[in-house]
Amino acid sequence: MDVRVAPVRFEGERWYLLPGLAPHPLEGAVTTRQEQGIEFLPGEGDHLLMFDASWYLEPWPAIDRALEQGAQVHAMVHDLLPIEQPVWFRPGLQQRFGCHLDALLGRVGVLFAPSVHVQQRLAEYVNRKGLSVELKLLPHGGDFFAGEPLRSPHGLPTSLQTGQGPIFLVTGTLEPRKQHALILDAFDELWNSLHPAKLLFVGRSGWKVDALIDRIDHHPRLHDRLFHLQQIDDAMLDWLYRNVDGLIYLSRAEGFGLPVLEASMRGCPVIATDLPVLREAGGNWPLYIQPRQEALTQALMHPASRKPASAGRTWASTLARLVATLENAYA
C-alpha cells in the first residue's frame, strides 16, 4: 500500500498541510522559515499521528473535526511519570497531563508505547478507567545523525579535546529524576583524590534544580574538570558519543532511555541505572548499577573500554513497524 507521510499543523479547528518541516537549528542545517502550509481537512483514509508532548496545547477542536470527517488519530505515550511521580515535575503538570491523556484515550485508534514497561503501565491505567484501547509497542531508533562524522568539534572547550584524563558525558535536561547532583557528588570524591576524570553535562536547565545550577556555576572545578553545555547540535552529540570514555545515565525512571541506545550504536561505554526499561533500551551493552554514589564511584574507577558499536535499531525500522501496524489495524 502506498503511504504518503506529510507534516501538518492546526489552529483552532483548522488544519494546514505543510510541504515539509524546516530544519531544526540543532540539526546543523541552514535554518529557514517554516511555511504556513495550505488549509485542508483530514478525512477518510487519513491517519493523524500525535507523537510528541502536546499536553500544553489544545488539539481537541481540530482533532474532533477531523474525526467527524472519518480520519483516524493515533498517539505515542512516552511515559506516565507526570501522573506516577508528580513531585519530579512542575506544579500542576499531573492534572494537566492526566486530563490530556484521558481526552486522548477517548479518541485514539492505536496507542503506541516505546517500551514494554510503558505498555504495561498504560494497560493498567486504561483498565482502571474501564476503557478498551489498542496498545502497540513501538521502540525508538538510535540513528539520529546521518551526516559525515565531525573530525574536530567546533565550539567544544579545548580541554575536552586534549585527551588528558577520561571524559564522561551526561545528557538530558537537568531535572530531579536524572540525578545530576548524585553524579557530581561522585566526581567530587574522585577529584578530591586527584583523579583526572572530566565531567560534561549536556542539557538545558530544567525545573526544581536551582540548587544544582548554583552548585555548578560556582564549582571550583568549572571549566577545568566540570563542564555544562546547555545545548549542542546533532553533529556535536554524535562526536561526543564517538570520543568520550563513557555515558552516565542514572535516571530514576524512564519511558525508554534513548541516550543509552544512541551511545551503544556509537561504541560508547554506558553506566546506567539498573532499571528494566533501560535494559530494554540497552540490552547487554551498559554496566548496570544501583543509583548510589559508592556504586558510581567504583564504576568510574574501573571504566569499560570502548568496543565496536552495536547494530542497534534504526528509525527506518521503527517507521516500517509503525506503517505495518496501521496497515494491519485498518486493512
Side-chain angles (χ1 to χ4, degrees):
M1 182 176 76
D2 291 333
V3 177
R4 180 191 178 191
V5 180
V8 298
R9 66 180 184 88
F10 66 86
E11 289 183 9
E13 294 185 349
R14 296 183 174 183
W15 290 93
Y16 296 86
L17 182 66
L18 306 178
L21 288 178
H24 191 282
L26 296 185
E27 292 180 275
V30 177
T31 58
T32 57
R33 182 188 294 266
Q34 178 65 60
E35 296 187 40
Q36 295 301 301
I38 301 172
E39 186 172 354
F40 86 115
L41 182 57
E44 191 73 33
D46 292 327
H47 296 264
L48 299 169
L49 306 180
M50 299 174 62
F51 271 24
D52 205 351
S54 55
W55 48 84
Y56 284 111
L57 304 176
E58 186 56 41
W60 309 123
I63 291 292
D64 289 341
R65 187 181 179 209
L67 290 174
E68 290 170 358
Q69 299 299 314
Q72 297 286 334
V73 61
H74 315 289
M76 167 77 79
V77 174
H78 295 272
D79 59 64
L80 293 174
L81 294 177
I83 295 175
E84 298 173 335
Q85 298 289 346
V87 70
W88 292 343
F89 299 93
R90 292 186 176 96
L93 181 58
Q94 180 185 34
Q95 180 178 4
R96 178 180 289 273
F97 181 91
C99 290
H100 182 276
L101 179 57
D102 291 346
L104 179 63
L105 293 178
R107 296 168 169 87
V108 72
V110 180
L111 192 61
F112 293 95
S115 61
V116 172
H117 171 76
V118 174
Q119 187 181 31
Q120 292 172 342
R121 301 301 292 161
L122 268 173
E124 295 168 3
Y125 185 90
V126 169
N127 288 337
R128 287 198 301 270
K129 295 289 182 177
L131 300 173
S132 177
V133 177
E134 185 171 4
L135 299 176
K136 292 293 184 180
L137 181 64
L138 188 67
H140 299 322
D143 55 332
F144 64 90
F145 180 66
E148 288 294 324
L150 290 180
R151 295 188 177 182
S152 59
H154 302 293
L156 192 69
T158 303
S159 54
L160 289 175
Q161 304 180 49
T162 60
Q164 297 178 355
I167 301 171
F168 292 91
L169 171 67
V170 180
T171 64
T173 301
L174 275 62
E175 54 166 302
R177 68 187 168 101
K178 301 293 186 178
Q179 305 205 102
H180 292 81
L182 183 151
I183 295 170
L184 188 50
D185 288 342
F187 275 84
D188 276 338
E189 181 180 348
L190 292 178
W191 293 329
N192 288 337
S193 64
L194 304 182
H195 194 285
K198 298 174 183 177
L199 174 61
L200 171 58
F201 291 142
V202 172
R204 295 176 298 172
S205 301
W207 49 91
K208 297 188 175 184
V209 288
D210 291 349
L212 172 65
I213 299 303
D214 184 71
R215 180 181 174 187
I216 293 172
D217 289 344
H218 297 91
H219 199 284
R221 294 287 189 173
L222 187 63
H223 309 309
D224 171 30
R225 297 290 183 200
L226 172 63
F227 304 85
H228 178 206
L229 301 178
Q230 288 279 348
Q231 61 181 18
I232 58 176
D233 63 23
D234 288 350
M236 177 74 80
L237 181 58
D238 177 76
W239 186 92
L240 286 170
Y241 280 142
R242 296 180 188 278
N243 288 275
V244 301
D245 296 274
L247 170 74
I248 302 173
Y249 205 74
L250 288 193
S251 180
R252 296 172 67 180
E254 285 295 328
F256 183 80
L258 188 57
V260 173
L261 175 61
E262 292 175 343
S264 71
M265 292 178 66
R266 288 154 184 83
C268 180
V270 176
I271 302 171
T273 312
D274 192 1
L275 297 174
V277 68
L278 294 185
R279 287 185 177 271
E280 286 190 59
N284 295 324
W285 184 269
L287 169 64
Y288 294 103
I289 66 172
Q290 294 302 311
R292 296 191 294 266
Q293 180 180 337
E294 58 271 21
L296 177 57
T297 301
Q298 286 299 312
L300 293 170
M301 292 291 292
H302 305 92
S305 300
R306 294 188 68 93
K307 53 187 178 182
S310 68
R313 180 177 47 251
T314 67
W315 282 109
S317 66
T318 299
L319 175 61
R321 183 169 181 164
L322 167 65
V323 173
T325 299
L326 296 182
E327 285 181 340
N328 291 334
Y330 295 94

